[in-house]
């Protein structure tokens, strides 16, 4: 059992797809968990299906959706930094690492979950992961938390090898699906198709729902 888990992602819904099962399991095991979400996702490409938001109102909807997702998962310590969506790559990396260091110093987590820098596709994902690693590198080696990273670039397995952590989250798969569904402005269309595939017990989708994969970051 972990002492404390710290999850750091840039967008509302980043926690939903690849790690919400792991989050739910840590919380059900009684592990304190904090989620730092850097932006309110106001530049998200979807406005609901049918649309119920616009570019001006999207951030408020996404804030409510994030809070609902946290309610589903049982996250009681949600920290929204309020940075602007799609601009994380332009933030000062040292300042961003400083902000993460403050929370790491406060919580002393045994595990941090974030994106794997260089293998996370979106510029905000990359900048977030890079700053997390920068902050953790400041900690003496013997005291560093383990960092489990999400990677999904096309070359991640080729260059990183197979993930070393594959977590069976089937016991909490209903929470995972509900968490994805909570981000309705972004996922309503996706969920319509996903429910049909779930009813059909489609193997590829069920494996994606039931298993979450991580690469433990190797500090040189």
């Amino acid at each position: 059992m972990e002492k404390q888990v710290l999850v750091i992602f840039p967008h509302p819904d980043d926690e939903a797809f690849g790690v919400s099962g792991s989050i739910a399991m840590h919380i059900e095991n009684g592990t304190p968990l904090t989620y730092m979400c850097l932006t309110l996702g106001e530049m998200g490409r979807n406005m609901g299906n049918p649309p119920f938001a616009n570019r001006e109102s999207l951030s408020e909807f996404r804030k409510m959706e994030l809070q609902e997702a946290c309610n589903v998962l049982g996250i009681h310590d949600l920290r929204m930094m309020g940075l602007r969506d799609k601009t994380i790559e332009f933030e000062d990396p040292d300042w961003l690492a400083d902000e993460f260091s403050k929370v790491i110093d406060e919580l002393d987590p045994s595990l941090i979950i974030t994106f794997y820098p260089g293998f996370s596709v979106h510029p905000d994902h990359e900048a977030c992961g890079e700053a997390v690693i920068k902050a953790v590198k400041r900690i003496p080696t013997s005291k560093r938390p383990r960092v489990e990273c999400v990677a999904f670039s096309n070359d991640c397995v080729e260059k990183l090898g197979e993930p070393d952590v594959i977590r069976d989250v089937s016991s909490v798969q209903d929470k995972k699906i509900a968490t994805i569904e909570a981000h309705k402005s972004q996922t309503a269309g996706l969920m319509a198709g996903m429910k049909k595939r779930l009813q059909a017990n489609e193997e590829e989708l069920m494996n994606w729902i039931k298993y979450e994969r991580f690469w433990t970051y190797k500090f040189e």
Side-chain angles (χ1 to χ4, degrees):
M1 177 177 163
E2 300 293 339
K3 179 179 65 177
Q4 163 80 50
V5 176
L6 173 60
V7 179
I8 307 177
F9 286 131
H11 309 117
D13 79 9
D14 284 336
E15 86 292 344
F17 296 100
V19 308
S20 56
S22 297
I23 289 173
M25 291 184 71
H26 284 304
I27 291 174
E28 287 192 2
N29 287 337
T31 302
L33 187 142
T34 296
Y35 178 21
M36 288 186 76
C37 188
L38 277 55
T39 79
L40 292 177
E42 64 269 30
M43 297 302 290
R45 66 181 62 181
N46 299 321
M47 301 291 164
N49 185 24
F52 55 78
N54 56 46
R55 187 59 66 199
E56 295 300 316
S57 65
L58 185 59
S59 62
E60 284 304 310
F61 282 105
R62 297 206 69 184
K63 183 177 180 179
M64 290 187 288
E65 291 167 359
L66 176 59
Q67 290 168 330
E68 174 58 25
C70 288
N71 290 339
V72 170
L73 292 170
I75 297 174
H76 299 299
D77 188 6
L78 169 64
R79 305 189 186 191
M80 292 183 272
M81 291 185 69
L83 301 179
R84 186 163 181 77
D85 191 11
K86 290 192 175 179
T87 67
I88 304 304
E89 64 178 312
F90 304 113
E91 296 289 348
D92 180 345
D94 289 322
W95 174 82
L96 198 54
D98 288 347
E99 294 301 301
F100 296 156
S101 289
K102 291 176 188 173
V103 178
I104 292 170
D105 290 345
E106 173 196 341
L107 299 173
D108 190 22
S110 56
L111 172 65
I112 296 176
I113 298 175
T114 191
F115 284 117
Y116 205 121
F119 299 95
S120 304
V121 181
H122 189 292
D124 281 357
H125 299 174
E126 301 289 2
C128 175
E130 288 170 6
V132 171
I133 297 303
K134 182 186 283 283
V136 175
K137 281 183 175 178
R138 297 169 173 172
I139 303 170
T141 303
S142 63
K143 296 183 178 178
R144 284 176 186 162
R146 195 172 75 261
V147 181
E148 290 183 357
C149 297
V150 176
F152 55 93
S153 63
N154 290 334
D155 62 350
C156 64
V157 172
E158 175 189 348
K159 295 187 175 177
L160 296 173
E162 294 292 336
D164 60 313
V165 177
I166 298 177
R167 188 169 289 119
D168 181 349
V169 300
S170 55
S171 65
V172 292
Q173 67 181 47
D174 289 347
K175 284 188 177 181
K176 181 171 183 173
I177 294 167
T179 302
I180 297 170
E181 195 165 22
H183 295 282
K184 55 178 67 71
S185 68
Q186 305 303 299
T187 63
L190 171 71
M191 288 305 302
M194 183 183 290
K195 286 182 177 178
K196 294 179 181 177
R197 296 171 63 195
L198 287 169
Q199 289 171 353
N201 209 26
E202 189 176 298
E203 183 177 0
E204 181 180 1
L205 176 62
M206 295 310 297
N207 283 335
W208 179 75
I209 292 289
K210 290 181 177 179
Y211 298 99
E212 295 181 347
R213 60 182 197 166
F214 301 88
W215 284 259
T216 303
Y217 192 86
K218 294 179 174 59
F219 294 89
E220 299 298 336

